[in-house]
Amino acid sequence: MPLSFKHLTSTKQLTRADTDAILAKAAEMEGTMAKGGSDLLAGKILAALFYEASTRTRLSFEAAMLRLGGQVITADGFQFSSLYKGESIEDTMRMVGQYADIIAMRHPEQGSADRAAAVSLVPFINAGDGPGQHPTQALLDLFTIQKERRTIDGLKIAMVGDLRYGRTVHSLSFLLGLYNNLSFTFVAPKELTMPEKVTSFLAEKKLPFVEIDRLEPALECDVLYMTRIQQERFADHSEYERLKNVYTLTAKHLQGKKATVMHPLPRVGEIATDVDSLPSAAYFRQARNGVPVRMALLALLLGF
Ligand code: NCD
């Protein structure tokens, strides 16, 4: 079944039929990956435009396209691009759409993805727009939850850290709103709590959530989603320095707990390395899942 959208800028666009289709296709793509790839997208070109730092998202988009036999053209580093010369996002998009069959863009400005999608001639994917959204990360997070827990419905989800500026937790919360009987615990210092756009959405969906500022009471959960304090979003660096070490999850915290530990990565001290060897530490498996999920999206958006 085709997806309900041509461009993906926000997880709020997705229907349950969309997530079902993407998760099923991603599972199929794991099989394709195990065989070393396919030529499904041979002759197709992905333009990967990264105007903000990225390692996993960019490399997994590229790996996804290459595994499907497609090719990738890139523009990265704001200072090397025509945006730096003053070109508008709209003009850049109109131009790139003449070169490529599909576009993925990361940009520091919230709302940049909507502006790009509004004029894009070819399918457009938001790979992170400042503190706004990161829908492909949320889809790979969803795929990971399903794989690790065998279900999504009914889970107790804790999200910890920079919930204000962390786009991954915004996108994931909206996506989980498509499922049933979930409950949420949001753990953040008062300066970095979940934005109202997310809490009001969950309230509307009648999904219960509590907001606290201590990690310990949140550990009795099914999924413990840790996040990095988003240094690059702070206008005042001393504020970042004050908050950067607010939570550190250690193996001791997890003794006797059943939580699956996730993190979009990179981590900078939120998870001690002694957690890495626990079977419940899913964050590197989560990063790997970025490839089949992005393969699935590229294929579906290109009509395969
Ligand atoms: C996240 C992002 O860029 O928002 N990283 C990623 O895409 N895996 C999380 C982060 O940078 O903290």
Side-chain angles (χ1 to χ4, degrees), residues 56-57 106 134 137 167-168 228 230 264-266:
R56 264 153 298 274
T57 304
R106 172 168 290 189
H134 192 353
Q137 178 71 41
R167 53 196 172 198
T168 71
R228 169 179 76 91
Q230 305 279 301
L265 303 175

Side-chain angles (χ1 to χ4, degrees), residues 84-97:
Y84 186 68
K85 297 185 189 168
E87 184 170 52
S88 68
I89 290 175
E90 285 82 358
D91 280 2
T92 304
M93 282 310 117
R94 288 190 186 101
M95 186 265 307
V96 176

Side-chain angles (χ1 to χ4, degrees), residues 238-257:
S238 64
E239 179 84 341
Y240 169 70
E241 287 295 324
R242 193 170 64 75
L243 294 169
K244 70 177 182 190
N245 294 323
V246 63
Y247 306 114
T248 304
L249 181 74
T250 65
K252 200 157 165 248
H253 282 121
L254 296 165
Q255 268 169 20
K257 302 288 191 292

Side-chain angles (χ1 to χ4, degrees), residues 6 69 77 96 121 144 173 248 255 279 284:
K6 176 177 176 192
V96 176
L121 302 168
T144 303
S173 301
T248 304
Q255 268 169 20
F284 293 115

Side-chain angles (χ1 to χ4, degrees), residues 24-292:
K25 191 67 139 186
E28 197 185 306
M29 290 299 177
E30 285 195 307
T32 306
M33 263 174 89
K35 287 187 299 190
S38 79
D39 59 2
L40 186 70
L41 298 185
K44 301 286 184 197
I45 295 178
L46 163 71
L49 313 177
F50 281 83
Y51 301 121
E52 194 185 61
S54 175
T55 303
R56 264 153 298 274
T57 304
R58 180 173 166 178
L59 292 184
S60 61
F61 259 116
E62 293 195 15
M65 195 62 183
L66 297 175
R67 290 275 181 214
L68 290 173
Q71 296 183 69
V72 184
I73 55 176
T74 57
D76 52 14
F78 188 74
Q79 68 275 34
F80 303 117
S81 78
S82 52
L83 291 175
Y84 186 68
K85 297 185 189 168
E87 184 170 52
S88 68
I89 290 175
E90 285 82 358
D91 280 2
T92 304
M93 282 310 117
R94 288 190 186 101
M95 186 265 307
V96 176
Q98 319 274 348
Y99 301 158
D101 301 289
I102 187 161
I103 300 172
M105 181 182 83
R106 172 168 290 189
H107 193 284
E109 229 173 87
Q110 182 163 354
S112 53
D114 287 323
R115 285 174 54 197
V119 299
S120 184
L121 302 168
V122 298
F124 172 89
I125 305 172
N126 178 9
D129 64 325
Q133 281 251 351
H134 192 353
T136 63
Q137 178 71 41
L139 286 164
L140 78 89
D141 293 342
L142 192 71
F143 186 62
T144 303
I145 293 171
Q146 191 188 51
K147 278 183 71 171
E148 300 282 330
R149 305 299 307 202
R150 300 276 147 218
T151 178
I152 297 166
D153 290 330
L155 293 179
K156 281 169 75 175
I157 312 272
M159 295 184 181
V160 181
D162 189 345
L163 307 185
R164 177 177 178 190
Y165 297 121
R167 53 196 172 198
T168 71
V169 288
H170 306 161
S171 290
L172 182 57
S173 301
F174 291 131
L175 206 51
L176 292 172
L178 295 172
Y179 294 82
N180 301 312
N181 303 321
L182 289 110
S183 59
F184 296 84
T185 304
F186 296 136
V187 183
K190 65 178 185 317
E191 296 84 351
L192 301 176
T193 54
M194 195 60 109
E196 203 268 335
K197 66 179 178 188
V198 176
T199 52
S200 61
F201 169 84
L202 295 177
E204 231 170 76
K205 293 272 170 192
K206 304 212 172 353
L207 289 172
F209 63 89
V210 291
E211 297 186 88
I212 58 176
D213 63 2
R214 285 187 52 244
L215 174 60
E216 285 72 12
L219 298 169
E220 292 294 342
C221 61
D222 300 305
V223 174
L224 183 61
Y225 192 103
M226 301 295 295
T227 65
R228 169 179 76 91
I229 307 298
Q230 305 279 301
Q231 176 177 7
E232 63 275 37
R233 312 282 175 228
F234 284 76
D236 176 359
H237 190 71
S238 64
E239 179 84 341
Y240 169 70
E241 287 295 324
R242 193 170 64 75
L243 294 169
K244 70 177 182 190
N245 294 323
V246 63
Y247 306 114
T248 304
L249 181 74
T250 65
K252 200 157 165 248
H253 282 121
L254 296 165
Q255 268 169 20
K257 302 288 191 292
K258 58 174 184 172
T260 297
V261 183
M262 294 177 60
H263 191 306
L265 303 175
R267 70 170 152 186
V268 266
E270 313 77 51
I271 304 181
T273 51
D274 66 358
V275 177
D276 297 359
S277 55
L278 302 178
S280 60
Y283 31 94
F284 293 115
R285 295 192 289 278
Q286 180 184 356
R288 178 185 162 81
N289 289 336
V291 180

